[in-house]
Amino acid sequence: MGNRSISSVLLSATLALAAAHAWGGAAFSSVSPVDPFPVEGGPTDGVFAYDDGSAFWLIWDGTSRGVWFDLEDFVPGACAAEVDSLEFWFYHNSSYPWDTASFLAEVYSGDEGGPATLIAQVSVPAEHYAPCYAVFDPPLEVPVDFWVVVNTEMSGGGWPSLLMDDGPNFTGAQHSFPLGDMGDYLIRVRGDALSGLSRSTWGRLKTLF
């Protein structure tokens, strides 16, 4: 954890929670550290992710956890993307059992100001410490700035509990909300970024076929 101790991080989390950090109409009140461990199948080509491929925190409670994706962080000049799938990592701690493994994977347009227009919503079953996917066929087109959100409204306590790494991401900016000052959620996007030229070419092909 570098220069930070578990106690100092927990103090920061406690202060944030005491202030009832609200996002998406829900206040976060449950966070727990886990022994750090790697997450297999970390970011590779064709995967957009802000996490560093490791897990440190598990988060629950509230109804929304989301990541703001700016495609230009990964592909300068990108103006959109064709998304094949979304990838999520959860962790079941027997001390905090889930009341459901189902959640809604949601995609919104929107920049750092927050989610704006709902683009897609699909129900996905969560698994313990394994990649969970929402697959789009045909691929889902998203703008350069978009959000991927875990909606846990089917749970009475914010489950399933989502994994988060520890510390800042490669951009230095906060991309996970809420509690993104602690790390980044293990929410990833698989697909292809489109430049202005490739997007217009793709549009013509869809018109032709």
Side-chain angles (χ1 to χ4, degrees):
M1 294 184 60
N3 296 325
R4 296 192 298 167
S5 66
I6 287 286
S7 59
S8 66
V9 173
L10 286 176
L11 175 59
S12 297
T14 302
L15 292 173
L17 298 175
H21 185 121
W23 183 83
F28 248 67
S29 60
S30 301
V31 56
S32 176
V34 296
D35 292 332
F37 56 87
V39 174
E40 296 180 3
T44 58
D45 289 343
V47 178
F48 308 125
Y50 291 100
D51 71 86
D52 64 8
S54 66
F56 191 89
W57 302 100
L58 59 95
I59 313 290
W60 71 98
D61 206 22
T63 56
S64 296
R65 271 136 269 173
V67 174
W68 157 50
F69 286 87
D70 179 352
L71 291 172
E72 290 201 290
D73 288 337
F74 308 95
V75 182
C79 67
E82 294 287 334
V83 174
D84 298 312
S85 64
L86 310 174
E87 178 183 332
F88 306 87
W89 285 77
F90 299 89
Y91 191 89
H92 184 273
N93 186 321
S94 58
S95 298
Y96 311 103
W98 300 349
D99 61 355
T100 180
S102 297
F103 71 98
L104 296 174
E106 299 177 333
V107 181
Y108 292 84
S109 63
D111 57 17
E112 67 271 25
T117 302
L118 180 66
I119 298 173
Q121 181 188 74
V122 59
S123 179
V124 181
E127 296 184 40
H128 167 67
Y129 189 37
C132 306
Y133 296 101
V135 179
F136 300 103
D137 185 15
L140 182 71
E141 185 168 334
V142 297
V144 63
D145 287 288
F146 66 98
W147 287 75
V148 178
V149 174
V150 169
N151 181 334
T152 62
E153 64 182 18
M154 289 183 280
S155 167
W159 291 288
S161 41
L162 186 64
L163 282 169
M164 172 184 271
D165 68 7
D166 182 52
N169 60 57
F170 65 92
T171 70
Q174 182 173 340
H175 281 267
S176 293
F177 297 84
L179 301 180
D181 56 331
M182 296 170 62
D184 287 279
Y185 294 122
L186 272 63
I187 297 176
R188 300 163 179 172
V189 174
R190 295 175 178 271
D192 297 304
L194 302 176
S195 65
L197 178 60
S198 61
R199 187 179 188 186
S200 63
T201 301
W202 176 242
R204 287 196 298 273
L205 287 173
K206 287 195 292 185
T207 300
L208 290 172
F209 298 99

